[in-house]
Every structure is written in C-alpha cells, then in structure tokens.
Amino acid sequence: MIISSKANPVIKEISKLNDKKFRKEKGAYIVEGIKPVNECIAAGCEIMRIVCVSELAENYSGATVVTHEVFESISSEKTPQGVLAIVKIPKNELIAPQNSCLLLDSLQDPGNLGTIIRTANAAGYEDVYLLNCTDPYSPKAVRASMSGIFFVNIRRGNEEEILPLLKGVPLICADMDGENVFEFTPPDNFCLCIGNEGNGISEGVAQSAEFKVKIPMRETCESLNAAVSAGIAMYQLKRNRS
C-alpha cells in the first residue's frame, strides 16, 4: 500500500514533528536523507518508523511507502532524497562526565549547535551538556550535525542541574579576555564552555569557570562564529594536553 494523501493520519503526525513542542511530547525527531538514515540505522538508534518513496522501498524493510508528492509535503529539504526516519529521542541521564566534555551555554542558532555536535563527535568529546540551548533535535540542527548527534550523549538541563555535575571538572570558557588557546596547557580532563552567539558565557557559568581561553585574531576581525571557535578550541585543547 502506498500512501497518496497528505491528510493521512500518519503523514499528519510526521508533519507535526517539525514543531519543537510536538517533538518533546512524542519523544521523537526526524532524520532525513539516504546517508543520514543509513548511518542512524548503523548507529543502533531506536527507529520508530521509516518513510520512503516506492523506488527506495526495497532498501528499507517494513518502511511506510508514500508518493513523491506526499514525501515532499513532510520533507524539510530543498531537494528531498525520498527517505526519512522517525527516531526516538534518547533519554540521556544528567550524570557527571567520564572524560573531557562540552558545555554549550544558551546557543540559539540550530546550525551552530548542529555543527558543534558534529565537531564534538569528530574530536572525541562524547558528552555535550546543553544549558538553555535551542533544540538539538530540530531538522536544521540534526542536518548540521551530519550524523554526529547519533554518537554523542546530549545532556540537557538548567544551571542548577548541570553545574553541580561538573564540580571537580575544570571549566574552560572561551572568552576574549582569556589566555591564548594555542599557548594554554589544559588539565587532563576538562569541560570546554561555549557561550551564546551574541552575549557569550552567562554569569553563572563564568563564575564557575577556572580558566578562560581566547583565539587570537587580527584587529580587523571582531569575532569568530561560535561553531568555528568551538572547533578550533576543541582540537587545540586536546593537542596541548598530550
């Protein structure tokens, strides 16, 4: 059976997952595209449903098959590839990190958030704590993570929940008043803190920080994108530690 109506209850439920409130209510998010869906399956994520067009049905056993028109109505891509997965949002407990980790403080751009998650996975930061950030499971953030979101532990909470977990773990804040990150030697385990795109680190996190580091720049450059800064700092801190 091929679903050909946009009014089909299954299609209407999937469409709602583009809304943060509904994602939270259903505990699910959308992964779209052939490569991301295949990597999601390979990563062992809990997949609730796969939806695809008929040409791809033989690749996904048990998939819900829809027409191209219906698929385009639920896709968030400009050029849909014809497959998406509905994936259960993992219930990662708020626990202390075992190794070096990230604390993302009030990031509001889903593209930045997803890119940082992507880089965290690449650089080996397994625990990513989100304090008052945009939704990491929005379609834009998931897309920007380039499957990184399947391989890191996203731990979300407020200041009162997260900061006590990081006691004993030195907090290193990215700050323009800090030490040159290329000359700074971090402790063996640490938590790198990246602040809001416009306002930087919040007061509570800044007060808990043991160190501050900066990325040196020419006078003609006022600042770097949050995701770019995070990527440079993530790799450089691990390099300086070894």
Side-chain angles (χ1 to χ4, degrees), residues 23 104 106-120 130 133-149 194-195 197 225-231 234:
R23 285 194 297 273
L104 305 184
S106 306
L107 284 176
Q108 297 305 308
D109 185 285
N112 276 338
L113 180 57
T115 300
I116 292 173
I117 290 171
R118 175 185 182 180
T119 309
L130 302 187
C133 289
T134 189
D135 185 6
Y137 298 103
S138 70
K140 187 174 180 180
V142 171
R143 184 163 56 246
S145 82
M146 293 294 287
S147 301
I149 199 160
I194 303 295
E197 292 88 349
N225 170 275
V228 172
S229 298
M234 273 188 261

Side-chain angles (χ1 to χ4, degrees), residues 1 28 52 97 121:
M1 175 184 170
C52 67
N121 176 48

Side-chain angles (χ1 to χ4, degrees), residues 155-167:
R155 306 191 190 280
R156 294 186 281 183
N158 58 39
E159 206 172 274
E160 291 73 24
E161 293 170 323
I162 291 177
L163 290 183
L165 298 175
L166 300 175
K167 282 192 174 178

Side-chain angles (χ1 to χ4, degrees), residues 5 76 99-100 102 106 113 124 136 160 176 184 193 199 206 228 234:
S5 171
S76 63
N99 299 293
S100 293
L102 294 183
S106 306
L113 180 57
E160 291 73 24
M176 287 308 297
F184 173 77
C193 307
N199 301 317
V228 172
M234 273 188 261

Side-chain angles (χ1 to χ4, degrees), residues 2-12 66-67 69-70 73:
I2 299 177
I3 296 177
S4 58
S5 171
K6 298 175 187 177
N8 182 284
V10 171
I11 301 306
K12 291 172 77 172
V66 302
T67 63
E69 184 181 10
V70 168
S73 75

Side-chain angles (χ1 to χ4, degrees), residues 31-34 37 50-53 56 60 71 80-85:
V31 173
E32 185 174 353
I34 294 172
V37 168
I50 292 180
V51 181
C52 67
V53 295
L56 298 176
Y60 303 100
F71 191 88
Q81 295 181 352
V83 62
L84 61 77

Side-chain angles (χ1 to χ4, degrees), residues 8 43 46 58 63 75 93 121 125 137 152 157 179 198 208 224 241:
N8 182 284
E46 189 173 341
E58 63 180 18
S75 171
E93 292 182 75
N121 176 48
Y125 292 78
Y137 298 103
V152 300
E179 298 178 54
S208 300
L224 289 174
R241 183 186 62 182

Side-chain angles (χ1 to χ4, degrees), residues 78-99:
K78 291 182 180 178
T79 54
Q81 295 181 352
V83 62
L84 61 77
I86 308 304
V87 185
K88 190 173 182 61
I89 294 174
K91 293 182 179 179
N92 294 322
E93 292 182 75
L94 273 175
I95 57 175
Q98 298 300 307
N99 299 293

